[in-house]
Amino acid sequence: MTNLKIFDSHIHVWNLESQRLDWLHGVGSLLHRSFSFADLKQAYADLAEQGLADVELAGALHIEADVADSADEDARITSLMSHEPLLQGFVTHSHLQKNMQVAPDAVGVREVLHNDGIPRGRCLESSFTAGCRNLSHQSKVFDLCIRTPELADFHAAYENCANVSVVIDHCGNAQRLDDEFAANMRALAEYPNVYCKLSGLSYDSTTDAYQLLEFLGEIFGPQRLMFASNWPVIGLYSDLYTHISALREVFGDDPHVFSDTARDVYNLEGN
């Protein structure tokens, strides 16, 4: 049997004994504990008992977890990477601006835009677009985590910095396909440097989830889509087994979706 080798392009680890994640106060208690990389590997190992014995975690990318001290987080992840070969890169946190300095070992940057405390219009500010151009000059990727209605705002902003590679997190934070979302995502998909992570779906309505996945497959194609679990946050709305099974149903075991796209976009070597 040939294993499905997965590069997970969106995972988080944290230690609540020494890190502060203020956003946890607004979410379910499931996440109110520490999560290690060993926990992630165990979650993938447990898939065998659930009927996915052919799935293998072949690598992972850490995405900043919106912690209080991002420099400390970067140092922790860099240290972890030195002895954990499956952890192969990280996306750091930064507030985008013209002269920002990005951690040299980071493959990308995320500025979270979907939190309740972030006013609409941040991505239309000149400092934001200047920061995007800065990332382009540094060959860093921008992870876009934004409220669904604001995808149109980002499209307007991106016209001023279209050289930067952008990865839209969590299917644009949508749970169903509607006309506004479809139009905004089609517009963004016109740019060859825009990619999309397949994550964030609850599968409460399998019809909506599959329709959304099929639509994204149509407008981006497998070479601009990447598997992402959003572990451990996925536990709030779904699970690894359900998510992987759904993506295999729609995309088969396409190596672009499950590994190659993410490695190419973030410039990470394959195994």
Side-chain angles (χ1 to χ4, degrees), residues 20 58 62 70 94 113 134 142 149 153 165 167 182 240 247 256 268:
R20 197 179 86 236
H62 186 270
S70 59
S94 186
L113 302 177
N134 181 314
F142 180 65
D153 293 348
S165 292
V167 178
L240 273 177
L247 266 60
H256 295 293
L268 300 169

Side-chain angles (χ1 to χ4, degrees), residues 8 43-44 47 227 229 231 234 238-245:
D8 194 333
Y44 272 91
L47 291 172
F227 171 84
S229 69
W231 184 92
I234 189 175
S238 187
D239 58 78
L240 273 177
Y241 173 86
T242 300
H243 186 49
I244 293 172
S245 298

Side-chain angles (χ1 to χ4, degrees), residues 156-172:
Y158 193 61
E159 293 178 348
N160 297 312
C161 51
N163 287 331
V164 66
S165 292
V166 172
V167 178
I168 302 171
D169 288 354
H170 311 324
C171 298

Side-chain angles (χ1 to χ4, degrees), residues 28 56 63 69 93 129 149-151 173 205 219 244 254 261:
E56 175 186 348
I63 307 298
D69 187 340
H93 170 84
T129 52
E150 295 171 57
L151 288 167
N173 281 313
S205 167
I219 64 171
I244 293 172
D254 193 303
T261 298

